[in-house]
Amino acid sequence: MIENKSLDLSNQIILYKIEEKVLSYLNKQLGTSSIENKDSYRRQQKEALWLLQNKKEYLLPKGRYVLTDEVRKLGQPVEQEDIMAQFIVVLSCKEYKTDSITEGFLIHLLQISYLNAVREYIKESLLPGLYEFYFQEKAPFVTTYYGPGLFEQPLETMKSMVELVGADQMGVAMKGDSLYPACSFVGSLYVTRKRITQEIPCKKCKAQIGCEYCMIRQAR
C-alpha cells in the first residue's frame, strides 16, 4: 500500500473549481426535474444557492482513499496485467434531516452534485498527480469508476473496499447491502497501460436526474 489517508479538500483553488462544477450539475438536475414553470424553477434555484452557502457542512463530502500497486482481487473487469495501480475511494455526505420536502429535495440534489464534482476532481487531477509523485512518471490512462454493482462487479466487494479504506474513521458503515449515511459512494479507479473502454450499463436508463446508487450518469 502506497498511501491511505483522508481526502483533503481545504485548498481554496480546488474548492472553487469543485463548486463551479457543482453549480453546473445542479442546474442540469433542476432543469430535468418536474418543475412546472420558470418562476418555480427560479425559486428553487434561489433556495438551492442559499443552502449552498449556509449548509455546506452537509454538502461537501468527506472522503478516504487508498492508492496501491498491489491490486486487490475485487472482481474488477479490467485485466490484471493491464493494471499499474488501483485507487479506492469512499465519499460520504453528512445526513441532513428536515420536515420540508422541497428543502430535502434540494439538499439531495446538492449532495449528489458535490459527490459528482469531487469524483471528477479525483479522476482528472488528484489521482494523476499522486501517481506521478509516487511513481515518477505520468499515468498512461485512468479508467472510469468501477464499484459494487457496476460493470458486473459483485456487491459483496463493497465490504472489503470499505474496510480497506478505513471508512469507519469517517463515520461510514455498512447497513445490509448499502452504505450509511445514505448519500455515500465507494468505487475504484485504475491506472492502466492501455485505454480501457466500457459500455456504460445505465446509459439508456430513463432516470434522467441520475442514480442514487452509482451517480454515473451525471459523471459522464
Side-chain angles (χ1 to χ4, degrees), residues 155-191:
L155 286 171
E156 292 76 16
T157 60
M158 186 185 297
K159 185 174 185 294
S160 298
M161 296 172 76
V162 168
E163 290 176 352
L164 183 64
V165 171
D168 59 322
Q169 297 180 45
M170 50 184 271
V172 175
M174 292 282 298
K175 283 196 173 182
D177 292 330
S178 302
L179 290 178
Y180 178 84
C183 199
S184 299
F185 167 81
V186 58
S188 292
L189 292 167
Y190 298 94
V191 177

Side-chain angles (χ1 to χ4, degrees), residues 91-107:
L91 301 171
S92 182
C93 296
K94 187 176 179 180
E95 185 178 19
Y96 186 82
K97 296 181 179 180
T98 178
D99 293 328
S100 168
I101 294 175
T102 299
E103 186 174 328
F105 167 72
L106 292 174
I107 285 287

